[in-house]
Amino acid sequence: MRAIATVALGAAMLAGSAPALADAGDLLVRGRFLVVAPQDSSGDVLPAFPGEGVNVGKAYTPEVDFTYMVTNNLGLELILATTKHSAYGDSGTLKSVDKLLDTWVLPPTLTLQYHFMPQGSIRPYVGAGVNYTIFYNTRASGSLEAAVGDTDVSMSNSFGWALQAGADIPLNDKLFLNFDVKYIDMSSRARLTTAAIGRQSVRVDINPVIVGFGIGTKF
């Protein structure tokens, strides 16, 4: 019982001595390294490939985000990052082609966060918000063009919702570690046009889970 009481007292003193971090009016700036893991599914590539769809590969990237603390508990976060993804055939003829296309993804996301313990030694938060994803510099792969000839590729932009959970762990009165997980509702329609097989279209639900770890500071 004495040992338990000592540990409890030490934890209480640590929490009580943690530097103020998430005060109203603070701007928190974080730099994270992200793993973007699509939880993808797709329809058929039509009209030429019924029963065949596509998969979307993972991506890794640095990211910068900004959180403005509206109150001690409520913050608004904006993330800025871009990633390159590849799409592959999941079966049949398309799978034999291997990679179908590459695309860059810019998904600015704004979330409203609730910080549970803004003065604690560990500061968890949850958030929800909106995302607008821009697909750009989309190109057919060399293996696809070798199979069907020159190919024009486009992907439609996406608007959806986002969920978030994470925690800040202070190192001193300015710096803190951060761990963050997001789920983004993201989809697109890819269109591929070739002289050999005409125009093909497929809807892809990408829906990535984004895991980030990094360091931040406050202003």
Side-chain angles (χ1 to χ4, degrees):
M1 290 297 294
R2 183 177 299 173
I4 293 174
T6 301
V7 172
L9 178 60
M13 292 177 64
L14 178 62
S17 64
L21 183 62
D23 291 330
D26 282 348
L27 177 64
L28 311 181
V29 181
R30 304 178 183 89
R32 299 185 183 117
F33 179 78
L34 303 183
V35 179
V36 182
Q39 311 300 299
D40 57 307
S41 63
S42 84
D44 296 346
V45 180
L46 296 175
F49 302 99
E52 300 182 27
V54 299
N55 295 322
V56 180
K58 288 182 181 179
Y60 307 87
T61 190
E63 172 251 32
V64 177
D65 65 88
F66 306 88
T67 299
Y68 177 74
M69 298 303 300
V70 181
T71 71
N72 284 6
N73 295 99
L74 294 178
L76 288 170
E77 182 193 81
L78 177 66
I79 69 168
L80 299 174
T82 188
T83 54
K84 184 180 181 181
H85 292 267
S86 299
Y88 302 84
D90 67 3
S91 61
T93 301
L94 294 179
K95 188 172 184 179
S96 68
V97 174
D98 191 33
K99 185 169 68 171
L100 302 177
L101 61 86
D102 294 310
T103 188
W104 283 88
V105 179
L106 178 65
T109 302
L110 179 67
T111 57
L112 176 65
Q113 300 172 336
Y114 184 81
H115 293 248
F116 292 96
M117 297 183 294
Q119 308 302 322
S121 57
I122 298 178
R123 289 140 185 185
Y125 57 83
V126 295
V130 293
N131 161 266
Y132 185 74
T133 299
I134 301 166
F135 297 88
Y136 68 98
N137 200 23
T138 303
R139 299 178 183 274
S141 70
S143 56
L144 178 61
E145 293 198 323
V148 299
D150 291 345
T151 304
D152 292 326
V153 181
S154 66
M155 295 187 68
S156 62
N157 296 337
S158 170
F159 180 82
W161 47 269
L163 297 176
Q164 173 185 35
D168 293 321
I169 303 171
L171 300 174
N172 54 42
D173 62 348
K174 286 288 187 182
L175 297 177
F176 56 93
L177 297 176
N178 174 261
F179 178 76
D180 185 90
V181 179
K182 290 184 178 69
Y183 176 87
I184 296 179
D185 173 44
M186 183 188 300
S187 62
S188 180
R189 180 165 292 278
R191 295 178 174 88
L192 301 89
T193 304
T194 72
I197 58 174
R199 184 175 184 178
Q200 308 299 315
S201 177
V202 58
R203 178 177 173 83
V204 185
D205 293 322
I206 303 171
N207 301 338
V209 171
I210 302 173
V211 180
F213 180 77
I215 193 167
T217 188
K218 74 168 184 176
F219 294 94

